[in-house]
């Protein structure tokens, strides 16, 4: 039982990390993020250390992770620029990109055996031609957030909105203006 959005894991469920990623990236499964953190790091605290080490490698100078899911916590923070750096790095991973760019995905549970389909919460995948992901988010403290990526004519862009009342409209306008009038 983890606060917020869930892929509805039950105690004893077994599934691959890839299938946990499907839950995290499509329906913001906080339970999946916690499960992956424990599986990889042994605990959420140890996993946060791994996340912070990777953030440092990516040049994310104004970020400190405490929770695997992004839920609010003291000393858990980031910036739009740092989230853009993370998003740009993440979409270089073909498995990650394959999951976050789909409007529908299916996770396969090993034990008990079953499959579960999930609809991606990222409305931009349907609203903006060329959208290839990345991730929605919401907490009371951060508000509505969206890390987005789009690709057209070989140009790939990443944009971030934090605490936005209407993140989809904001990003669509930004992508349109940059794609139509690229900066030099």
């Amino acid at each position: 039982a983890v606060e917020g959005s869930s892929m509805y894991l039950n105690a004893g469920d077994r599934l691959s990390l890839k299938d946990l990623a499907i839950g995290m990236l499509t329906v913001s499964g906080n339970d999946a993020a916690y499960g992956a953190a424990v599986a990889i790091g042994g605990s959420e605290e140890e996993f946060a250390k791994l996340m912070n080490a990777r953030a440092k490698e990516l040049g994310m100078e104004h970020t400190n992770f405490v929770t695997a899911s992004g839920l609010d916590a003291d000393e858990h923070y980031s910036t739009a620029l740092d989230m853009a750096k993370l998003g740009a790095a993440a979409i270089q991973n073909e498995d990650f990109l394959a999951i976050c760019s789909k409007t529908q995905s299916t996770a396969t549970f090993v034990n008990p055996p079953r499959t579960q389909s999930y609809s991606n919460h990222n409305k931009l995948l349907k609203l903006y031609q060329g959208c290839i992901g990345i991730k929605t988010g919401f907490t009371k403290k951060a508000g509505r957030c969206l890390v987005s990526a789009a690709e057209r004519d070989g140009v790939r862009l990443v944009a971030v909105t934090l605490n936005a009342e209407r993140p989809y409209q904001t990003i669509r306008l930004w992508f349109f203006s940059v794609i139509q009038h690229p900066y030099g």
Side-chain angles (χ1 to χ4, degrees):
V2 177
E3 173 188 347
S5 300
S6 175
M7 75 178 290
Y8 300 104
L9 294 174
N10 295 307
D13 280 351
R14 291 180 47 122
L15 57 161
S16 69
L17 286 172
K18 181 180 177 182
D19 289 308
L20 286 174
I22 288 171
M24 286 183 268
L25 293 170
T26 59
V27 294
S28 297
N30 296 331
D31 53 351
Y34 182 79
V38 171
I40 294 169
S43 69
E44 189 170 34
E45 294 78 16
E46 289 302 311
F47 186 72
K49 291 177 184 176
L50 297 172
M51 292 171 63
N52 287 317
R54 181 67 173 134
K56 188 173 184 173
E57 289 173 12
L58 295 173
M60 298 170 65
E61 298 176 7
H62 304 286
T63 294
N64 187 63
F65 295 115
V66 175
T67 67
S69 61
L71 290 174
D72 295 332
D74 290 342
E75 298 305 311
H76 185 97
Y77 57 85
S78 192
T79 64
L81 177 59
D82 281 0
M83 286 291 101
K85 290 176 182 179
L86 179 59
I91 60 174
Q92 299 303 311
N93 180 303
E94 292 300 321
D95 292 330
F96 179 94
L97 183 59
I99 295 168
C100 76
S101 64
K102 291 181 184 172
T103 58
Q104 284 281 129
S105 292
T106 301
T108 302
F109 288 68
V110 176
N111 188 26
R114 68 181 167 105
T115 58
Q116 178 69 48
S117 292
Y118 298 98
S119 295
N120 197 320
H121 287 181
N122 187 351
K123 296 175 188 173
L124 202 59
L125 290 167
K126 292 180 181 177
L127 292 174
Y128 188 80
Q129 180 186 2
C131 181
I132 56 173
I134 297 176
K135 179 78 181 69
T136 64
F138 175 82
T139 68
K140 289 178 185 174
K141 195 173 181 181
R144 297 194 185 288
C145 301
L146 182 61
V147 179
S148 306
E151 186 170 10
R152 286 191 188 171
D153 301 325
V155 176
R156 189 178 276 185
L157 301 172
V158 173
V160 177
T161 57
L162 302 178
N163 196 16
E165 207 171 292
R166 300 186 305 143
Y168 297 106
Q169 289 79 358
T170 303
I171 293 297
R172 282 173 59 198
L173 290 171
W174 186 83
F175 278 147
F176 178 79
S177 66
V178 172
I179 296 287
Q180 297 300 314
H181 307 286
Y183 299 107

